[in-house]
């Protein structure tokens, strides 16, 4: 019997992705995940207390060990709680035909507009029929990403210029930004044959090019359509396909001073909500292992989100891991008490009641 309050190191990291999308998409890793080359030794210092990975290793890490000091080889650890409960679980059904993805590896979400789109859910790139590319120069990439994030609204030129060149006079900063906007406009004209462009407005610059010129807009469109599907399995698969558009952190590689932090925080909450929708759909489709993956990622994004942890408890319970579910509750209860001085809310208490059968 596992001691309540102790997280089994191998408990929450048994699945490496959803069926048919378990490998990292060609466009990059998903938020909250490490790339396969980072699947090395576990990190004992994660602030959230959940298992993580760090370092590089060609061999898969041992899910039963948080940290191993250098020394002689250690015999394989015995099966963890999660391994014992999931070993005989049948693999879920595969994703729909991969023909639904375009040559750039991005789901065809419909909605019209230019055949090109700006990718901001990860490194800033231009996604087109022949793949993805990015403009040279950090200023041009930062401007492209900021315009795409603000679309259809303009980016204030004075504010953006001051963020990029705080040590220059306002006039000098505006001139530098004007040069960057001219280079971006020329690059987009050549790369998209006029499909996307940059226009000057009284307050600054704005991106043009149809209704949905960004992967963020396509993600929102696809996610909204997915939530209207009644069948839980079909809804889950469509939500998963929408999630493929997330290649990494928002505006990854762009200087922090160029990023709208309020928009960034709002988008992170939106992404957490999408992961919760994935977990709920997987539970309705009776695919608890997939629900565990999505709920765990939601917990990693917000360590104090009680809804995400309640979903993780429900998913573990559905997979037959009641001890693990109670461990999650105790872990969250201790964190809330230690960090915020509060007790678990009603949503966590109800999840605990479902675990113990009340």
């Amino acid at each position: 019997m596992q001691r309540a309050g102790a997280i089994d190191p191998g408990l929450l990291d048994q699945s490496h992705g959803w069926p048919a999308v378990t490998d990292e998409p060609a466009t990059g890793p998903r938020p909250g995940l490490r790339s396969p080359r980072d699947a090395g030794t576990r990190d004992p210092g994660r602030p959230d207390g959940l298992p993580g990975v760090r370092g590089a290793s060609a061999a898969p890490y041992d899910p039963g060990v948080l940290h191993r000091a250098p020394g002689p080889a250690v015999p394989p650890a015995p099966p963890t709680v999660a391994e014992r409960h999931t070993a005989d679980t049948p693999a879920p059904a595969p994703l729909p035909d991969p023909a639904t993805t375009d040559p750039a590896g991005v789901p065809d979400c419909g909605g019209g507009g230019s055949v090109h789109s700006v990718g901001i859910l990860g490194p800033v790139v231009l996604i087109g029929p022949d793949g993805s590319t990015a403009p040279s120069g950090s200023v041009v990439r930062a401007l492209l990403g900021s315009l795409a994030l603000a679309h259809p609204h303009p980016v204030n030129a004075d504010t953006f210029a001051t963020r990029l060149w705080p040590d220059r006079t306002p006039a000098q900063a505006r001139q530098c930004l004007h040069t960057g906007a001219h280079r971006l406009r020329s690059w987009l004209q050549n790369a998209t044959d006029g499909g996307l462009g940059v226009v000057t407005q009284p307050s600054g610059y704005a991106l043009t090019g149809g209704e949905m010129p960004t992967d963020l807009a396509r993600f929102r469109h696809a996610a909204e359509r997915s939530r209207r599907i009644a069948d839980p399995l079909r809804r889950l698969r469509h939500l998963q396909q929408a999630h493929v558009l997330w290649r990494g952190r928002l505006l990854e590689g762009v200087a922090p001073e160029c990023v709208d932090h309020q928009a960034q925080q709002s988008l992170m909450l939106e992404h957490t909500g999408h992961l919760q929708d994935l977990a709920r759909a997987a539970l309705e489709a009776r695919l608890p292992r997939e629900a565990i993956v999505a709920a765990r990622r939601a917990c990693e994004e917000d360590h104090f989100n009680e809804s995400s942890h309640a979903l993780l408890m429900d998913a573990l319970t559905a997979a037959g891991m009641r001890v693990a579910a109670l461990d999650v509750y105790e872990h969250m209860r201790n964190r809330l008490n230690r960090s915020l001085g509060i007790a678990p809310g009603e949503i966590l208490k109800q999840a605990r009641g479902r675990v113990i059968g009340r």
Side-chain angles (χ1 to χ4, degrees), residues 143-194:
L143 181 57
L144 176 60
S146 297
L147 292 176
L149 178 60
H151 181 80
H153 305 291
V155 168
N156 185 278
D158 291 338
T159 302
F160 194 80
T162 302
R163 288 177 179 174
L164 275 176
W165 298 281
D167 56 339
R168 302 190 182 186
T169 66
Q172 291 174 332
R174 282 195 300 270
Q175 182 57 44
C176 292
L177 180 60
H178 176 74
T179 301
H182 174 73
R183 291 177 179 174
L184 175 60
R185 186 182 291 113
S186 300
W187 184 81
L188 285 175
Q189 174 66 35
N190 294 331
T192 68
D193 293 326

Side-chain angles (χ1 to χ4, degrees), residues 311-326:
L311 278 169
L312 180 56
M313 292 174 64
D314 288 339
L316 290 167
T317 302
M321 298 183 235
R322 295 182 181 272
V323 172
L326 291 175

Side-chain angles (χ1 to χ4, degrees), residues 200-328:
T200 304
Q201 297 188 357
S203 61
Y205 302 98
L207 183 70
T208 62
E211 298 177 4
M212 294 174 26
T214 69
D215 56 356
L216 173 58
R218 296 174 66 188
F219 163 76
R220 286 172 171 168
H221 178 76
E224 181 58 32
R225 290 199 311 174
S226 300
R227 295 185 185 104
R228 294 197 294 265
I229 298 175
D231 179 70
L233 182 58
R234 288 187 60 239
R235 181 168 71 253
L236 172 65
R237 298 306 183 218
H238 280 75
L239 286 168
Q240 289 171 342
Q241 285 191 329
H243 194 264
V244 172
L245 287 158
W246 286 80
R247 297 168 293 112
R249 293 181 292 104
L250 175 69
L251 297 179
E252 190 171 319
V254 173
E257 59 268 18
C258 301
V259 180
D260 185 331
H261 295 290
Q262 184 175 357
Q264 193 176 40
Q265 290 297 321
S266 176
L267 190 56
M268 187 55 64
L269 292 175
E270 185 176 340
H271 182 251
T272 300
H274 182 76
L275 290 170
Q276 292 175 350
D277 287 340
L278 279 167
R280 294 187 187 99
L283 284 172
E284 290 181 40
R286 298 184 179 181
L287 298 173
R289 295 183 66 179
E290 297 187 42
I292 291 172
V293 174
R296 179 179 181 270
R297 291 174 183 169
C299 293
E300 289 174 341
E301 288 196 352
D302 186 348
H303 304 157
F304 294 94
N305 191 308
E306 296 188 58
S307 296
S308 297
H309 286 79
L311 278 169
L312 180 56
M313 292 174 64
D314 288 339
L316 290 167
T317 302
M321 298 183 235
R322 295 182 181 272
V323 172
L326 291 175
D327 282 341
V328 172

